[in-house]
Amino acid sequence: MLRPVHLAKAKEYFIDKYKAVSANGYEADDLSAILAYDGKRARKDVTLCGPDKDSKQFVGLKLFDYTKPEQDIVEIKDWHDIVLNEKKEFKSYGINFLAYQLLCGDPTDFYKPTDLCNAKFGDVAAYKLLSQCENGFVNQTLQAVVDQYKIWYPEPVTYAAWDGKEYTKDWKEILQLYFSCAKMKQYEDDKLNAEEFFYNYGVKL
């Protein structure tokens, strides 16, 4: 891994020409999302450009993957069709993609919602579960997620966290835990409250 000779000058160029903002204290994709939603709230026509898969959950934004310039800009809505491709990979956007992350986790970010119950649940299982929901009915999608967590965690479970401390949590608290992992912030002080988010879509935890 060779450090680019002109890296420092390249940074200066982007800061000067494009008014780039340093992502100190944030991951770049997190800050990009917050700034994009700031622009939307200011009624600007915002297109978020990036390859990060978490961006597929950004309802209300337009998304362009610059690593695949042949693909169209996607306007992300609450509901998008679900596809299981030839590689048995789950593909979607909006709430369906967030639901997928809440069910299957993300190996890149090192979280998997079934770790504490030792259940097997992957892309095919997520597709079978969520494709049963009626097209356009986001509340059914989120209710399916809730019902699955109740199946996985019918009783509270005790586990040792990264800090060595033991915690005992029921299905709702575990859902909140993984919601905090999966859901990207839309503004700086976003509390990522699962109960509030689900309630806004007509689902009570």
Side-chain angles (χ1 to χ4, degrees), residues 122-139:
D123 284 39
V124 174
Y127 174 79
K128 288 180 178 178
L129 176 65
L130 298 181
S131 61
Q132 296 176 27
C133 303
E134 294 182 70
N135 286 357
F137 286 82
V138 177
N139 62 318

Side-chain angles (χ1 to χ4, degrees), residues 22 26 36 47 71-72 82 101 117 139 141 159 171-172 200:
S22 174
Y26 295 90
T47 299
Q71 295 185 1
D72 293 334
I82 300 170
Q101 291 181 301
C117 64
N139 62 318
T141 298
Y159 65 95
W171 71 267
K172 188 186 298 186
N200 287 338

Side-chain angles (χ1 to χ4, degrees), residues 135-149:
N135 286 357
F137 286 82
V138 177
N139 62 318
Q140 291 187 15
T141 298
L142 293 176
Q143 186 62 57
V145 172
V146 169
D147 293 342
Q148 190 60 53
Y149 270 76

Side-chain angles (χ1 to χ4, degrees), residues 65-81:
D65 184 348
Y66 57 73
T67 68
K68 300 174 181 177
E70 72 281 0
Q71 295 185 1
D72 293 334
I73 292 173
V74 178
E75 187 172 352
I76 304 177
K77 302 176 182 178
D78 287 329
W79 177 272
H80 285 263
D81 289 337

Side-chain angles (χ1 to χ4, degrees), residues 1-186:
M1 296 294 290
L2 299 177
R3 186 176 181 82
V5 174
H6 300 294
L7 179 61
K9 287 296 182 181
K11 288 181 179 179
E12 289 179 15
Y13 172 80
F14 278 103
I15 291 171
D16 180 58
K17 183 172 178 61
Y18 297 106
K19 309 306 178 188
V21 176
S22 174
N24 288 336
Y26 295 90
E27 289 188 22
D29 55 345
D30 292 332
L31 183 56
S32 295
I34 292 170
L35 293 175
Y37 276 107
D38 283 347
K40 180 175 173 58
R41 283 187 286 270
R43 299 190 176 184
K44 296 180 180 179
D45 186 9
V46 179
T47 299
L48 180 62
C49 299
D52 186 71
K53 62 182 179 300
D54 292 334
S55 302
K56 294 178 180 179
Q57 64 173 256
F58 292 154
V59 173
L61 296 183
K62 296 176 183 176
L63 180 64
F64 176 66
D65 184 348
Y66 57 73
T67 68
K68 300 174 181 177
E70 72 281 0
Q71 295 185 1
D72 293 334
I73 292 173
V74 178
E75 187 172 352
I76 304 177
K77 302 176 182 178
D78 287 329
W79 177 272
H80 285 263
D81 289 337
I82 300 170
V83 174
L84 192 69
N85 68 14
E86 63 279 0
K87 296 181 180 179
K88 303 297 183 183
E89 297 170 330
F90 183 103
K91 300 293 182 181
S92 193
Y93 292 90
I95 300 301
N96 278 333
F97 186 75
L98 174 61
Y100 163 74
Q101 291 181 301
L102 289 171
L103 293 167
C104 294
D106 187 342
T108 302
D109 292 329
F110 303 104
Y111 72 89
K112 188 170 180 61
T114 53
D115 275 347
L116 299 176
C117 64
N118 296 317
K120 292 184 178 180
F121 201 93
D123 284 39
V124 174
Y127 174 79
K128 288 180 178 178
L129 176 65
L130 298 181
S131 61
Q132 296 176 27
C133 303
E134 294 182 70
N135 286 357
F137 286 82
V138 177
N139 62 318
Q140 291 187 15
T141 298
L142 293 176
Q143 186 62 57
V145 172
V146 169
D147 293 342
Q148 190 60 53
Y149 270 76
K150 289 179 179 179
I151 292 171
W152 285 337
Y153 301 101
E155 302 292 339
V157 294
T158 301
Y159 65 95
W162 61 272
D163 55 5
K165 296 180 181 178
E166 283 197 346
Y167 297 87
T168 299
K169 295 185 177 182
D170 60 18
W171 71 267
K172 188 186 298 186
E173 293 169 310
I174 293 172
L175 175 57
Q176 174 62 63
L177 173 67
Y178 287 107
F179 183 82
S180 299
C181 294
K183 184 72 169 64
M184 302 286 282
K185 289 187 175 184
Q186 295 187 7

